[in-house]
Amino acid sequence: MLFDRISMNRFAIECVYRAIAYTILSVGVLIYYTDEPMRLMYWTVPIASVILLSISIKAFYYLKYKINEASARQCIFVLDVVVAALAIASVHFSLVFSLLLIISLIFIGNSFKSSFITTVVVCAIGIITSYLASIFIFGFQNYFNLNDIRLVLYSFSCFLLFLGSAFYFYKNYLEHVKKTKHYYQEQMDRYVQFSTQLSRYAPKQLWQSIMSGETQAKIEYKRKKMTIFFSDIQGFTELAENLPPEELAFLLNDYLGHMTEIAKKYEATLDKFVGDGILIFFGDPHSNGLEQDAKKCIEMALMMRQQMHVLRERWFKMGFPELHIRMGVSTGYCHVGNYGSDYRMSYTVIGHNVNLASRLQAVADIDEILVTDSTYNLVKDQFICIPKQPMQLKGMQNSMNTWQILEKYTGNTADMQQWFDYNYKGFHLLLNLEEIQHYEHVKLIDILEKMTATLKTQKRMTTNQGVAKLTLSDEVVEILDKE
C-alpha cells in the first residue's frame, strides 16, 4: 500500500508538469501562427494535447496493473513524443523551437533508462507522426525558419523554465528517495531488533532455519536418532527456600548464562530451561552425524563441569553455599518438531530417551556425567569411562547399564593438556594451566611435591589392607604380653 501511495503521488505531480508542458507547446504553436488568418488546423496541437493528456492518465493506471509501472511510464512517454512531433510539424520544423524540444525529449527519455530497441521505436514513432502531420495537416513550406524572433525568444524562455523545473523536480525526487530510504532503513533496523529479541525465545538453529526459509512454523514432527542431554543443580530446591528472590535470580541467571554460552560453542540445540534444569539435544535441525553429535555432547558436558568449578569458587566467595550439577546423556530415537497449536507452538523433543536422560541425571552423584550404553558405544574411543552398577531407574521396568564419563582421553598428547580435573573421595584436583602465570609454577610444584611426599609417607605407614604398621617397640611389647 505504501509503494502504491508513493507511486500515485509521483504520477500526480508528473501529470501537473505534463499539463504545463502541453500548454507551453500549444502556446508556442499559436505564436507561430499569429500573423496568419485563423484556421482550424492551428488548434490541432492544443486539442491533441488535451485528448492525449486524458488518455495518458487512464492508460497509466490500466497498464500499471496489467503490466508494470515501468512499462506504463514508457507508454506515456510515447504519447509525449506524439504531441511533440505534432508541435514540430505544426511550426514547420522551426529550427530553435524544434531543437530545444528534441533536447527536452532526450533529457526526459534518459530518465526512463530505456533499452536501445525502445529508443529506436520511440524515435521512429516521432518521425512518422511529424511527417504524417506535415503531409495531411500542416503542409510543406517555410522549413527551418529563423525569422520569427518571438517564437525563438519564447522557445528559449520555456526551455530555461523546463530546465529549472526539471532540476527542481529532480532535487525533490532525490530528497524523497533519501527520506524513503531512511524510513525503510529504520523499519529494517526495527525488524532486526525485533527478530533478534524474538530469537532469544527459540533455539538459534530453529530461528536461523525459519529466517532462511528452510523451516516453516507449522505443526509437524519427525522421528530421528539423536543425543539428549539433561542437567540440573543438586539441592537447588532447598536453596530456593532459603535465598531471597533477588539473590536466587542472580544465581540462576549466572549459571544458565554460562551454560548457554558453552552449549552455543558446541552448536547444541538448547530446548528449554526447566527451573534450574537444562534440556539440550544434538542432531536437529542440523547434525554432524550420530557419532560426532554424541562426542560433542560429552565434550560440552565436561566443559560445563569445569565451568561449574569456577562458578562454585566465585559463588562461595560471595557467600553462597557450594553448588554441584548432575548430568545425564542418552542416545536413541526421539520425536522432534513443532508441538502445540496454530496459536502457540513449541519446538521440542519427546520420547523414551528424553525421559531416560532425565532419570540418569536424577540418580547421578554430584558433578557426575552418566550415559547409557548407546552413548557409551559412540564415545568410548575418545573418553575415559568406568562402568556403574546396573540401576533400576524410575519408570523403567528393567535395570540398566550405565557408564560414568571421567575425562577425555588424550593419549600421547597429555603433555599439551590445559585442563586437569580429577575428583575422588578425599581428593580433588582442578588445574587450569591457561590461568596460571609462569612465576607461579615453582610454588605449585612445591605444593604438589609436598602432597606426593605425604601420600608416600601414608602408604609406607600402612599395610595393603589399610591398617597402620606397628613400630619395633610395639612388636616387642606384644611378644612379652603373649609370654
Side-chain angles (χ1 to χ4, degrees):
M1 290 297 294
L2 180 61
F3 280 114
D4 291 341
R5 189 161 57 249
I6 292 172
S7 176
M8 296 307 174
N9 292 337
R10 179 184 173 187
F11 183 70
I13 296 174
E14 290 178 355
C15 286
V16 173
Y17 278 101
R18 183 172 285 105
I20 296 174
Y22 288 1
T23 302
I24 291 173
L25 286 179
S26 301
V27 172
V29 173
L30 294 177
I31 291 175
Y32 179 79
Y33 289 104
T34 52
D35 295 336
E36 297 184 14
M38 189 64 64
R39 296 180 183 177
L40 181 61
M41 69 175 184
Y42 302 158
W43 297 95
T44 302
V45 175
I47 294 173
S49 299
V50 174
I51 295 173
L52 293 179
L53 181 62
S54 302
I55 293 175
S56 67
I57 296 175
K58 294 183 179 181
F60 174 80
Y61 290 110
Y62 178 80
L63 295 174
K64 178 178 181 293
Y65 292 107
K66 288 293 183 179
I67 309 175
N68 55 61
E69 184 175 341
S71 300
R73 292 186 182 279
Q74 290 184 354
C75 292
I76 301 303
F77 179 63
V78 172
L79 296 180
D80 295 339
V81 172
V82 170
V83 173
L86 288 174
I88 291 174
S90 65
V91 297
H92 301 102
F93 297 91
S94 180
L95 192 59
V96 175
F97 182 84
S98 301
L99 287 178
L100 295 180
L101 186 55
I102 293 173
I103 292 173
S104 301
L105 288 174
I106 293 174
F107 182 84
I108 296 173
N110 287 334
S111 64
F112 291 105
K113 299 180 180 179
S114 302
S115 63
F116 176 76
I117 296 177
T118 303
T119 303
V120 171
V121 171
V122 171
C123 292
I125 292 173
I127 294 171
I128 293 172
T129 301
S130 61
Y131 274 98
L132 288 177
S134 298
I135 294 172
F136 295 104
I137 302 175
F138 301 108
F140 294 92
Q141 68 269 355
N142 299 324
Y143 273 91
F144 308 114
N145 186 13
L146 290 174
N147 296 328
D148 196 342
I149 191 64
R150 292 171 300 177
L151 183 58
V152 172
L153 293 177
Y154 178 79
S155 301
F156 275 112
S157 301
C158 292
F159 183 73
L160 294 176
L161 179 63
F162 166 76
L163 290 180
S165 61
F167 282 114
Y168 175 77
F169 179 78
Y170 185 68
K171 180 181 178 182
N172 289 342
Y173 176 72
L174 290 180
E175 291 179 356
H176 169 73
V177 170
K178 184 178 179 181
K179 290 180 180 179
T180 304
K181 180 181 178 181
H182 181 68
Y183 170 78
Y184 283 110
Q185 185 64 47
E186 287 182 345
Q187 296 300 314
M188 181 61 69
D189 292 340
R190 289 182 60 193
Y191 167 77
V192 172
Q193 291 176 2
F194 289 152
S195 61
T196 301
Q197 293 179 15
L198 291 175
S199 67
R200 298 176 183 176
Y201 292 92
K204 175 184 176 183
Q205 296 86 341
L206 174 66
W207 174 73
Q208 290 178 339
S209 297
I210 293 176
M211 296 299 292
S212 63
E214 298 177 6
T215 303
Q216 295 184 356
K218 60 182 181 180
I219 303 297
E220 61 179 5
Y221 61 88
K222 54 192 172 185
R223 188 170 182 264
K224 199 172 184 180
K225 202 168 188 180
M226 306 165 63
T227 297
I228 312 299
F229 169 91
F230 202 97
S231 72
D232 78 344
I233 301 177
Q234 190 269 339
F236 187 80
T237 303
E238 294 78 6
L239 179 66
E241 297 177 356
N242 301 320
L243 279 182
E246 296 79 8
E247 295 183 4
L248 182 66
F250 163 77
L251 198 67
L252 183 60
N253 288 329
D254 194 24
Y255 164 72
L256 295 178
H258 283 87
M259 298 302 109
T260 300
E261 287 300 320
I262 294 174
K264 180 181 177 182
K265 176 181 178 182
Y266 287 94
E267 300 178 342
T269 301
L270 203 162
D271 188 325
K272 62 173 68 72
F273 300 125
V274 186
D276 60 309
I278 304 176
L279 175 58
I280 295 173
F281 56 84
F282 288 79
D284 193 80
H286 305 295
S287 175
N288 295 313
L290 184 62
E291 182 176 344
Q292 187 63 27
D293 288 341
K295 291 177 180 178
K296 290 177 70 174
C297 180
I298 301 303
E299 289 179 354
M300 179 194 72
L302 291 172
M303 180 61 71
M304 287 181 173
R305 187 173 67 181
Q306 293 171 355
Q307 184 63 33
M308 195 63 184
H309 288 306
V310 178
L311 293 176
R312 185 162 50 246
E313 294 294 331
R314 183 155 66 94
W315 291 339
F316 183 75
K317 293 178 182 179
M318 298 172 66
F320 297 109
E322 288 192 358
L323 297 177
H324 299 267
I325 58 173
R326 304 173 299 189
M327 291 168 279
V329 180
S330 176
T331 301
Y333 283 100
C334 304
H335 288 85
V336 59
N338 297 322
Y339 295 86
S341 66
D342 292 336
Y343 173 73
R344 176 72 168 86
M345 65 182 65
S346 176
Y347 172 73
T348 187
V349 60
I350 60 174
H352 169 73
N353 283 280
V354 180
N355 298 330
L356 189 55
S358 176
R359 299 290 187 268
L360 288 177
Q361 170 272 134
V363 300
D365 291 331
I366 58 174
D367 297 329
E368 189 175 57
I369 305 172
L370 285 185
V371 303
T372 59
D373 273 337
S374 56
T375 305
Y376 165 75
N377 291 329
L378 294 172
V379 303
K380 61 184 179 181
D381 59 333
Q382 290 191 12
F383 297 91
I384 302 173
C385 310
I386 59 174
K388 302 280 287 187
Q389 291 293 331
M391 296 182 180
Q392 183 66 45
L393 301 179
K394 181 180 178 181
M396 308 296 173
Q397 295 181 353
N398 301 320
S399 60
M400 295 193 60
N401 295 325
T402 58
W403 299 77
Q404 179 187 358
I405 304 294
L406 293 181
E407 188 57 80
K408 187 172 184 179
Y409 177 71
T410 56
N412 296 328
T413 62
D415 294 338
M416 303 299 294
Q417 191 171 348
Q418 299 296 307
W419 268 96
F420 293 87
D421 186 5
Y422 185 76
N423 193 4
Y424 190 70
K425 52 185 179 180
F427 180 79
H428 179 208
L429 173 64
L430 173 62
L431 181 61
N432 184 1
L433 295 178
E434 295 178 349
E435 296 184 1
I436 297 175
Q437 304 297 327
H438 69 282
Y439 57 82
E440 298 175 320
H441 291 167
V442 176
K443 180 180 178 181
L444 292 177
I445 291 173
D446 182 55
I447 294 174
L448 292 174
E449 288 178 347
K450 288 180 180 179
M451 291 173 57
T452 304
T454 301
L455 288 174
K456 288 180 178 179
T457 301
Q458 187 69 18
K459 182 177 183 300
R460 189 169 58 250
M461 293 175 61
T462 57
T463 63
N464 292 334
Q465 290 76 28
V467 181
K469 292 180 180 179
L470 296 176
T471 62
L472 181 59
S473 59
D474 293 332
E475 293 178 357
V476 172
V477 171
E478 184 178 3
I479 293 172
L480 291 175
D481 290 340
K482 289 181 179 181
E483 291 179 354

